[in-house]
Each structure stands twice: as C-alpha cells, then as structure tokens.
C-alpha cells in the first residue's frame, strides 16, 4: 500500500500559489497583486519534507546551558567559574545588600533617602542577577573577569564595548579637529 501511494504521489505535480497583496507600490510597479506559482515534483517534495524534518529536529534541540559550555571549555580559564555558581560572588552580593540595608535603617521609610536606598538595593540585585545569568566568569575575588582570547562565546564582553569606545573617541577627535580647523581659518 505504501509503495502504491508513493508511486501515485510521484506521478503528480504539486502546485502551490502565493498571493502577496497590500504592499506599497513603487514608482514603476502596478497596483495589482503579485502572484507567484511554484511547481515541484514528488521527488522534490520528499527532499523538501526531509529537509523540513531535519530543520525541526535541529530547532527542537535544547540550547547549550552556560554550565555545559563552561564544562566544555574549563581548561583555558583555570580559576574562573560562572558567576552564577561562584560563592565569592554570592558573598559580595550579600555584603553589598547588607551595607545598603544598614544605611536604610537610619532613615524613615517614607523619606527621600530611604526611597533612594530602596531603589539602589533593587538595582544592585538586578545587576548581580544579570551578571549571573549572562555567563560571565568570576574569580576567587567574586568579581567578573573579561575573557579576551577571541572565543566567540565571550565576544560581547570586550569587542562590543571596545568598538563603542573607538566610535566615541573618533567622534570626539573629529569634532576637536573640525573646531581647530574652523578657528584656524577665521584667525
């Protein structure tokens, strides 16, 4: 039965029509809807179905967790552990929060300094949570360390801020140069 079905499908030509409407017309385009027609044989359909099945399998695969990625690359970063599981990092967070709460006890709960300290406590907790979730590596001191060895897993730690710095420094230099040239011409 399966062979007969496959042979019947192999003899058919599959057709699909797609209509794209609602696009803004350009200066030379007509306002009519664009119609495209795609035809494929049964052999093409089976290849497309197989590739679709592979794509679904790849998309369904779980992403690599930070701990698994760290376990894979532990040798190059000896002494560094993910901040999320670093005891010194947790101790540093606890110490900072405790110091802020100690200062908070000196003020009335509705006063401006107390509200500012509460906001600072929230920002501190958020900062530590973001460091823990971002995959940064912390040392024995509990501070995040930047990895600048070209590993693409750590690209955002140095390359993106570095390029931002170069852009801003270039802009400041260009503005200074333009200012000097303009004053040189008028003098």
């Amino acid at each position: 039965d399966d062979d007969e079905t496959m042979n019947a499908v192999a003899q058919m030509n599959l057709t699909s029509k797609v209509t794209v409407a609602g696009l803004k017309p350009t200066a030379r385009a007509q306002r009519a809807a664009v119609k495209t027609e795609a035809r494929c044989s049964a052999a093409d359909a089976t290849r497309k179905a197989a590739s679709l099945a592979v794509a679904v399998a790849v998309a369904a695969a779980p992403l690599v967790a930070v701990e698994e990625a760290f376990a894979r690359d532990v040798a190059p970063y000896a002494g560094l552990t993910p901040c999320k599981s670093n005891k010194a990092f947790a101790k540093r967070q606890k110490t900072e929060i405790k110091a802020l709460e100690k200062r908070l006890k000196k003020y009335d709960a509705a006063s401006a300094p107390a509200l500012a300290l509460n906001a600072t406590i929230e920002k501190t907790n958020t900062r530590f949570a973001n460091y823990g979730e971002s995959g940064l590596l912390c040392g024995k001191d509990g501070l995040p360390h930047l990895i600048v060895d070209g590993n693409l897993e750590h690209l955002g730690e140095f390359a993106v801020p570095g390029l931002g710095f170069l852009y801003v420094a270039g802009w400041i230099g260009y503005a200074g140069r333009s200012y000097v040239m303009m004053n040189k011409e008028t003098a």
Side-chain angles (χ1 to χ4, degrees):
D1 288 332
D2 291 335
D3 290 335
E4 292 174 13
T5 306
M6 288 298 286
N7 289 335
V9 170
Q11 294 174 357
M12 290 191 305
N13 281 334
L14 303 176
T15 304
S16 64
K17 292 186 178 183
V18 179
T19 302
V20 180
L23 297 176
K24 287 185 176 180
T26 59
R28 295 183 182 182
Q30 297 177 0
R31 290 185 176 247
V34 178
K35 293 182 181 181
T36 59
E37 187 174 314
R39 294 178 185 261
C40 62
S41 66
D44 290 338
T46 56
R47 276 187 249 136
K48 288 180 182 179
S51 64
L52 180 63
V54 169
V56 167
V58 168
L63 296 176
V64 176
V66 174
E67 290 80 14
E68 292 174 23
F70 178 72
R72 180 178 67 225
D73 295 332
V74 73
Y77 314 118
L80 298 179
T81 58
C83 291
K84 188 176 188 178
S85 61
N86 189 307
K87 291 180 182 179
F89 181 74
K91 182 179 179 182
R92 185 174 287 277
Q93 178 183 11
K94 185 178 176 183
T95 304
E96 284 191 32
I97 297 299
K98 193 178 278 189
L100 290 169
E101 287 175 346
K102 185 178 178 182
R103 287 177 51 198
L104 183 62
K105 290 179 183 178
K106 297 179 183 178
Y107 301 103
D108 186 32
S111 66
L115 295 174
L117 284 171
N118 282 328
T120 305
I121 290 171
E122 288 178 29
K123 288 178 188 176
T124 303
N125 283 328
T126 303
R127 184 179 79 237
F128 276 90
N130 288 340
Y131 283 156
E133 296 297 324
S134 68
L136 290 175
L137 301 176
C138 289
K140 294 178 183 176
D141 55 359
L143 295 173
H145 292 260
L146 301 180
I147 308 300
V148 205
D149 64 350
N151 187 349
L152 294 180
E153 289 180 5
H154 301 284
L155 184 67
E157 295 175 20
F158 183 75
V160 175
L163 291 174
F165 168 77
L166 291 175
Y167 178 78
V168 170
W171 181 74
I172 292 170
Y174 175 78
R177 181 177 176 266
S178 299
Y179 175 76
V180 168
M181 289 175 58
M182 183 181 70
N183 285 336
K184 187 177 183 180
E185 290 175 4
T186 58

